[in-house]
Amino acid sequence: MALRRVCSLRTTAPCLASFSSVPAPHEQPTAGPGTGPECRATETVRPPMPAVDFGNAQEAYRSRHSWELARNLLVLRLCAWPALLAHHEQLLHIARKFLGQRMFDKLMKMTFYGQFVAGEDQESIRPLIQRNKAFGVGSILDYGVEEDLSPQEAERKEMESCTSAAEKDGSGINKREKQYQAHRAFGDRRDGVISARTYFYASEAKCDSHMETFLRCIEASGGASDDGFSAIKLTALGRPQFLLQFSDVLTKWRRFFHQMAAEQGQAGRAAMDTKLEVVALQESVAKMGIASKAEIEDWFTPETLGVSGTVDLLDWDSLIDSKTQLSKHLVVPNTQTGQLEPLLSGFTAEEEQQMTRMLQRMDMLAKRATEVGVRLMVDAEQTYFRPAISRLTLEMQRRFNMDKPLIFNTYQCYLKDAYDNVTLDVELARREGWCFGAKMVRGAYMAQERARAAEIGYEDPINPTYEATNAMYHRCLNYVLEELKHNGKAEVMVASHNENTVRFTLQRMEELGLHPADRQVYFGQLLGMCDQISFPLGQAGFSVYKYVPYGPVMEVLPYLSRRALENSGIMKGTQRERQLLWQELKRRLLTGSLLYRPA
């Protein structure tokens, strides 16, 4: 059974594409004995936390020519023009037809392409990467080419790849919860998403092609630095049907835990505070007829769960493991019918093979990343894929993060359960002795997630307000930073364009004694956005990276469309950026340094 193998997995690894160059000013700290089970870097006398001034326009744009500042201002102004954005696809088509391909390419390179994309291939982007590196900013190379599908083509591919063979021919009933079923109205996963790439399953050969692209980027990253990153997406590597079914299994299993908790009077507690009494749990499971009393007693032994006499959510998750001989009993009560239903459903031989090949691709990429010393950040996706993506990422972390964090999980802080997700995974890393690695984001799918939940009829997974999301982000980030204080091998990437969030991080780093020389805290922004945050951080000695997409002009147009739309959605946040750009241009004009060349 395909999902049974995954439930007991200890040998996986995901992927997308990206190469990195590390900022020049930093050096890798020497590791030493620690203060906790995972140890901290050797304590030495170090200079105080460097100050960062996000209002110094001259320092923020030292790495930029004046014409680049003017282009940045032009692009920001165009992004604030609603009529232009509303019809940008038609206007691009007309411009290409009128100008011809060659002149159209030049126009794009003078504007949107030049602002958000580094170049057409790895060779042409080297000057920009080296210049950024000289000013303290590393690069995470991302091959930005996307398949340009019509909404109808995207919907067709999604429905075909998210439906099992048994469901298609009518021989099987879809028992997945509606959240984890494919819905035609939301077949085009790009709809309402402006800041994340979307992959649609076409064939196993296409997934192999994605893997080869990822491998080339990982190898380029390893050759460029000793401390690189790659960002990866699991939907690029296999059939999404598998991710949907596995997510459904994991969600039902956890819901069963919370149902047992409610019976023991623990409803509403935080995930890490909920602990079931083993004796009462054994009695409840036996009454349901899931297994005999003797079999149930074998599940809850000191070898599997310790001697506390209680079971928490991490213990419960570990029961979905072949070592407990529980796989044949993976059933849960249906809350509507009251009947016991199997968690795992049947796969055809072809579907089994597709799932196996997906896991093999993940494993191959993780192994290659390990060999060349590149860290993989597994991107988060829609919530109906999230449980499976998170579980597979954890399995990779168990295998590849024993000495240092090579695999980074991504936490979407616009989710209501983000804090539970973070605290559970940190605790799991402590118990099992591997190194925790996280990328913190707000999230890219809010509009789509809200619309889908309302249309299909399940609870909206998103925090109710932007302010609630900010509070959740800072709460989760603070918890992780506290962990870094006691664990010198844990690391976090603060992926945010929000200046207040960056200031919050710097303040907490200073309060917790997390020095940038420790290289535990990284910052990340997109190329062409928020240079007034990235470059002051890099020049002050903090570890900061730009996501640097590249690819031919016509093939990255979908990416450029998202960047333009994303900027239009955060124009209030770009007002300060525009002010600083104007300030620096005026200074150069008045001081006769308009022809300034970065050195």
Side-chain angles (χ1 to χ4, degrees), residues 215-256:
L215 282 171
R216 288 194 295 271
C217 288
I218 288 171
E219 288 164 359
S221 178
S225 73
D226 297 325
D227 200 12
F229 279 101
S230 273
I232 63 179
K233 251 193 172 76
L234 293 197
T235 50
L237 298 174
R239 192 179 181 91
Q241 170 205 342
F242 162 62
L243 296 176
L244 282 172
Q245 290 183 263
F246 191 24
S247 292
D248 185 57
V249 166
L250 295 170
T251 300
K252 286 179 177 176
W253 189 244
R254 283 199 172 185
R255 184 174 295 127
F256 190 18

Side-chain angles (χ1 to χ4, degrees), residues 278 281-282 285 296-302 304-305 311 316 319:
V278 170
L281 178 60
Q282 289 173 329
V285 173
I296 296 169
E297 288 175 352
D298 287 339
W299 303 345
F300 306 104
T301 63
T304 58
L305 302 177
V311 176
W316 183 258
L319 292 175

Side-chain angles (χ1 to χ4, degrees), residues 362-374:
M362 293 161 57
D363 190 59
M364 186 178 298
L365 288 164
K367 284 179 178 177
R368 187 60 185 144
T370 301
E371 291 168 359
V372 299
V374 172

